[in-house]
Amino acid sequence: MARSVSRDPKPTDRQGTTVKPMKGGGLTDRDSKLLRQAGGKQGNQALDGRLQQSTVMRDQLLAFIVKRLETMHKVQSFEKIEMKHEREWFRALARGQAGYFLPDPTRWHEAARQYQRAAQAMCNGNLGHGAALMERAMEAERAAYDSLPAMVEEHLDHTNDEAAAAPAELAHVGTNSTAAACAMPQGMRVADLILNVQDTMERPPPLNRRKGNAWWLEEDEEEEEDDED
């Protein structure tokens, strides 16, 4: 059909006629095919760009998860060590001193499980669901840090003394974001190391000087004698 060159065509009393396309004018089937191919190529390039961007975000988030698990495992090891040093902190705990309570390496289990689920979802291609699980994991990690006893906190420094802030990539992941599937990073094995720790302690009895059969009372008496000397 012939096209009007008017920007704002108006109705007219003239009788319309049908104009047949002239030979050599308009688009041929070959031209139309080339245009469709070009449009499809541009669409594929845009799709490839989005997939590449989501893959980069997925890899960065997985690297963050592995790093958090490694840090948590290190702090968990400090907590396990303190279970063997009861003689150094039992008095503060028994007297109810602020910040002193039993070491419990299993406090890191919930965060490790959530990080593990988040990584599995991302590796399956469900980036949005993995990001949501990652936020839960970070909340669980913060709760674990907030509940650490004082004798464990003494081992920490600026590299492992608190939960990390959320990575910038997390804010760019939508609820329905997807990414290419991939294998789980080898570093994710640290999650299993954290979950395999099942050590717990029983709270020692309160200080009672009327019962002289406890080792902590004997040490108290020795310290008092030294003070007198």
Side-chain angles (χ1 to χ4, degrees):
M1 298 289 293
R3 299 192 179 195
S4 169
V5 296
S6 172
R7 179 172 297 180
D8 185 17
K10 298 181 181 179
T12 177
D13 294 335
R14 296 178 184 178
Q15 184 177 359
T17 57
T18 301
V19 180
K20 296 182 180 180
M22 297 176 62
K23 292 183 179 180
L27 296 176
T28 64
D29 290 342
R30 181 174 178 277
D31 293 334
S32 299
K33 183 177 181 180
L34 290 174
L35 283 175
R36 287 195 298 271
Q37 289 177 347
K41 185 177 181 180
Q42 290 176 352
N44 289 336
Q45 288 176 342
L47 178 60
D48 291 343
R50 289 194 296 270
L51 288 175
Q52 184 177 6
Q53 184 180 13
S54 63
T55 298
V56 171
M57 287 195 297
R58 179 205 66 198
D59 293 344
Q60 290 173 334
L61 293 177
L62 287 173
F64 177 88
I65 289 176
V66 171
K67 182 65 176 178
R68 295 317 306 161
L69 288 171
E70 291 173 348
T71 301
M72 287 165 49
H73 186 236
K74 186 174 182 179
V75 180
Q76 185 189 48
S77 68
F78 292 149
E79 198 151 9
K80 282 187 63 178
I81 292 173
E82 283 304 321
M83 294 177 68
K84 302 175 182 178
H85 295 168
E86 185 179 7
R87 289 177 178 266
E88 298 178 4
W89 47 258
F90 77 93
R91 294 184 187 84
L93 187 146
R95 292 167 178 165
Q97 185 172 331
Y100 283 85
F101 32 89
L102 288 178
D104 181 12
T106 65
R107 77 177 72 250
W108 303 99
H109 283 189
E110 179 61 19
R113 276 192 293 265
Q114 293 294 349
Y115 275 131
Q116 196 174 50
R117 292 168 184 168
Q120 187 63 67
M122 293 179 187
C123 291
N124 290 343
N126 196 338
L127 191 59
H129 183 53
L133 291 173
M134 184 173 166
E135 290 178 347
R136 297 182 191 176
M138 294 176 67
E139 292 177 1
E141 184 185 358
R142 281 191 291 269
Y145 269 103
D146 291 343
S147 64
L148 277 179
M151 56 276 202
V152 178
E153 289 184 343
E154 292 174 356
H155 293 281
L156 307 185
D157 55 34
H158 68 280
T159 65
N160 52 29
D161 62 345
E162 61 182 4
E169 294 79 15
L170 196 60
H172 300 290
V173 178
T175 305
N176 299 319
S177 295
T178 59
C182 67
M184 286 278 277
Q186 292 185 355
M188 288 301 301
R189 64 183 179 83
V190 181
D192 291 328
L193 298 179
I194 294 173
L195 294 171
N196 288 339
V197 175
Q198 301 291 335
D199 306 62
T200 57
M201 293 185 70
E202 293 185 3
R203 185 179 180 86
L207 295 177
N208 188 345
R209 292 188 174 280
R210 288 177 297 179
K211 297 180 179 180
N213 57 350
W215 55 264
W216 56 83
L217 295 181
E218 294 174 0
E219 291 191 357
D220 271 351
E221 292 174 357
E222 292 175 357
E223 286 186 355
E224 291 179 357
E225 292 177 357
D226 292 338
D227 292 341
E228 292 177 359
D229 293 339

